[in-house]
Amino acid sequence: MLPFFPPDLFEDDREVLLDLVREVALDPEQRFLLGRRTAEFENVIAESVGAGDAIACGSGTSALSLVLRAMDVGPGDEVIVPAFGCAPLASCVVLAGARPVFADIDPWTMVVDPAEVDKLVTPRTKVIMPAHMFSVMADMPALRQIATGASVRLLEDSAVGQGGVLAGRAAGAWGDAGVYSFVQVKTFGMPGEGGMVVTSDPALARTVRILRNHGQVRRFEHEVIGCNSRFDEIMAAFQLYRWPTLPARLARRAAIGEYYTARFAALGEHGILAPPSTRDGRCYYVYSLLCDRRDALRDFLAARGVGSHVYYPAPLPHQPAFSGYAEQGREWPAAERAARRTLAIPVYPHLTDAQVEHIADTVCAFPEENQSWENPL
Ligand SMILES: Cc1ncc(COP(=O)(O)O)c(C=O)c1O
């Protein structure tokens, strides 16, 4: 069985991780959070994306919340978010006291459609918050233009986009602030919780830095009401150790994705659509197919030992938690179709060539054995 979520993501670095646990535990400084390793990790990330600052925090979700707070988002404000994506896109906005306004997506790339975003800007809009998805970065140049034209902030949810580059600019560096998540399955995942805010806006950076640690400017000096969203020193040491090998893992993901796309090129006419083959603005996170008979494809793959995963089975405004915030009577046809048709197949970097070939062969065998299909778009 080739699982969608492999149990051995960090196996090669197990000994190093154990050594780092010992090193941090026995360090005379006895700093387990926000110590010198975290500061070094922040510098490495800021420099790598050309951002003025990077602030490590407790998770990608927490990073979004910290930035929304720092952008002064609150009751009466609207934040435009994709109608299709992970729950924090909506929940962080609601928890800030504002209203998420759901924009429909592009039916193929599944990232938010800038034309839909543009239609939803009102005088109450405070932030536009796109997210990179699966295999493709959001159309940041168009979204930047809309945000600048409307004089609203742009918060780039790059939780899954780390390593992507669009028009020469890194994922995360397009917004007034960008966020990353290091949860295990992400492109720069780790065995624990963590996130990062990157920004070149010194005022935003300062506020996020204060907010993540109880609103303190110095120990026991609380300038604002903050929260506890700190970064773990063991994880910082582990990420610093793994940083030099990230490009090779990204390149492997890209190579697997390109191989799949080449193999699946002919499947469009059989109702299975691969992501666009672009190199620019590519996301290395998840390889998602669109398939009209998605559940049948999932069962077909499972029966042949290939794990797959449905991100996400329902658009955000259809989730009970968020439907009360969604505009009544509005529909999100592209998000609704994506939720019915999307299926992700394994793309993790330690898949062998033979495993990748087996996965591609199995997907390609599906239409041969299942003749009825519809156009996936
Ligand atoms: C687009 C997106 N934003 C935010 C998050 C939240 O990140 P975390 O799980 O680190 O809180 C995730 C992932 O889980 C995500 O996919």
Side-chain angles (χ1 to χ4, degrees), residues 60-369:
T61 304
S62 178
L64 290 176
S65 288
L66 290 166
V67 176
L68 290 173
R69 277 264 331 261
M71 288 179 169
D72 207 21
V73 170
D77 294 330
E78 292 178 353
V79 178
I80 301 176
V81 302
F84 190 59
C86 67
L89 285 164
S91 60
C92 292
V93 175
V94 173
L95 292 171
R99 194 165 82 86
V101 175
F102 298 103
D104 208 359
I105 57 169
D106 179 281
W108 186 11
T109 60
M110 293 180 268
V111 292
V112 75
D113 180 348
E116 293 295 314
V117 171
D118 201 25
K119 283 189 223 155
L120 295 170
V121 175
T122 73
R124 290 179 298 283
T125 306
K126 189 108 175 213
V127 178
I128 295 173
M129 192 161 112
H132 307 311
M133 291 282 283
F134 309 142
S135 310
V136 182
M137 282 174 65
D139 184 348
M140 296 312 294
L143 293 160
R144 175 82 267 170
Q145 209 175 349
I146 295 167
T148 304
S151 301
V152 303
R153 298 287 230 166
L154 184 63
L155 168 47
E156 181 186 356
D157 183 342
S158 195
V160 309
Q162 201 166 2
V165 177
L166 174 62
R169 192 184 295 194
W174 281 89
D176 296 301
V179 313
Y180 301 124
S181 162
F182 304 122
V183 87
Q184 74 211 46
V185 290
K186 300 297 191 299
T187 52
F188 194 30
M190 62 189 197
E193 287 275 26
M196 185 83 77
V197 174
V198 289
T199 180
S200 293
D201 177 331
L204 269 186
R206 179 180 185 276
T207 310
V208 168
R209 203 170 278 286
I210 293 170
L211 287 171
R212 78 168 167 184
N213 193 8
H214 300 299
Q216 297 175 101
V217 273
R218 274 170 290 280
R219 194 120 200 252
F220 301 137
E221 208 178 300
H222 303 272
E223 191 174 289
V224 289
I225 298 175
C227 61
N228 177 356
S229 179
R230 299 179 298 211
F231 200 83
D232 184 296
E233 278 289 280
I234 296 169
M235 288 299 117
F238 190 61
Q239 291 300 75
L240 284 168
Y241 167 76
R242 279 169 51 93
W243 176 249
T245 55
L246 177 61
R249 287 193 296 280
L250 292 173
R252 176 68 183 154
R253 283 177 184 265
I256 296 171
E258 273 165 11
Y259 174 79
Y260 283 157
T261 300
R263 290 287 313 271
F264 302 156
L267 296 186
E269 61 193 52
H270 298 286
I272 297 176
L273 194 63
S277 57
T278 170
R279 262 256 165 185
D280 196 35
R282 176 188 199 131
C283 228
Y284 300 102
Y285 174 50
V286 157
Y287 192 92
S288 263
L289 298 164
L290 285 169
C291 179
D292 191 61
R293 303 189 60 225
R294 188 264 311 280
D295 294 347
L297 175 59
R298 185 185 51 197
D299 295 346
F300 182 86
L301 295 177
R304 287 152 186 81
V306 176
S308 60
H309 192 65
V310 175
Y311 301 89
Y312 298 91
L316 289 171
H318 289 189
Q319 293 283 358
F322 308 123
S323 57
Y325 300 93
E327 194 187 323
Q328 293 313 302
R330 179 176 274 279
E331 288 179 357
W332 297 268
E336 284 152 19
R337 283 173 73 84
R340 286 197 302 272
R341 288 155 199 251
T342 184
L343 187 71
I345 56 174
V347 76
Y348 40 90
H350 60 290
L351 283 170
T352 65
D353 286 351
Q355 289 170 328
V356 172
E357 211 173 302
H358 172 64
I359 294 166
D361 287 347
T362 314
V363 171
C364 291
F366 177 72
E368 287 161 21
E369 296 186 29

